[in-house]
Amino acid sequence: MTSELSLQQLQKKVDDYIGQFKEGYFPPFEMIARLSEELGELSREVQDVYGHKKKKITESKNSIEEELGDFFFVLVCFANAQGIQLDNALLNVLNKYETRDKDRWTRKEE
């Protein structure tokens, strides 16, 4: 499934989905707990693929892509619940890296 959606469109799509349910978005602390849980699951997949601690036969095999998607979904839910536009948040951080941290790392030679 390949489609080009902006972050705003993705946030709206998630908001439309969550908006179907009476419960709506989880409270902030619960959302952070879910985000932490999803990060742990993503970390486990990365460890299995790239690290020394491989999964046991009894552990389910997921993909880094699937776990990253789960993490991103909860991140978008958290942003939506807080009224944060992720594209603006990312652009602000990128600007910080391009200005404050512009000389922090060694540039590739052209």
Side-chain angles (χ1 to χ4, degrees):
M1 179 168 126
T2 305
S3 62
E4 305 249 344
L5 297 175
S6 69
L7 277 174
Q8 286 182 354
Q9 291 168 319
L10 288 170
Q11 283 189 254
K12 172 132 178 41
K13 193 169 180 72
V14 169
D15 195 54
D16 290 346
Y17 173 76
I18 296 296
Q20 303 176 83
F21 307 107
K22 290 180 182 179
E23 295 81 3
Y25 291 107
F26 293 129
F29 281 119
E30 193 168 336
M31 199 85 72
I32 289 296
R34 291 200 60 219
L35 202 53
S36 297
E37 178 185 350
E38 294 301 344
L39 180 58
E41 292 174 10
L42 173 60
S43 298
R44 185 67 188 105
E45 291 304 318
V46 171
Q47 178 74 305
D48 183 53
V49 174
Y50 298 106
H52 295 289
K53 187 176 179 189
K54 304 301 178 190
K55 285 188 167 187
K56 298 175 188 172
I57 295 172
T58 57
E59 289 183 275
S60 65
K61 202 82 156 148
N62 297 324
S63 69
I64 292 172
E65 180 179 9
E66 179 182 351
E67 296 302 341
L68 191 57
D70 288 345
F71 180 84
F72 187 62
F73 177 79
V74 177
L75 180 65
V76 170
C77 286
F78 186 74
N80 284 353
Q82 297 299 308
I84 294 169
Q85 290 297 316
L86 283 170
D87 56 346
N88 290 336
L90 185 57
L91 287 172
N92 288 337
V93 170
L94 187 55
N95 182 56
K96 180 172 58 176
Y97 279 102
E98 291 173 337
T99 55
R100 183 192 73 188
D101 296 336
K102 67 181 170 71
D103 297 321
R104 181 172 281 192
W105 296 282
T106 306
R107 294 198 180 269
K108 294 180 179 179
E109 293 184 30
E110 293 182 31

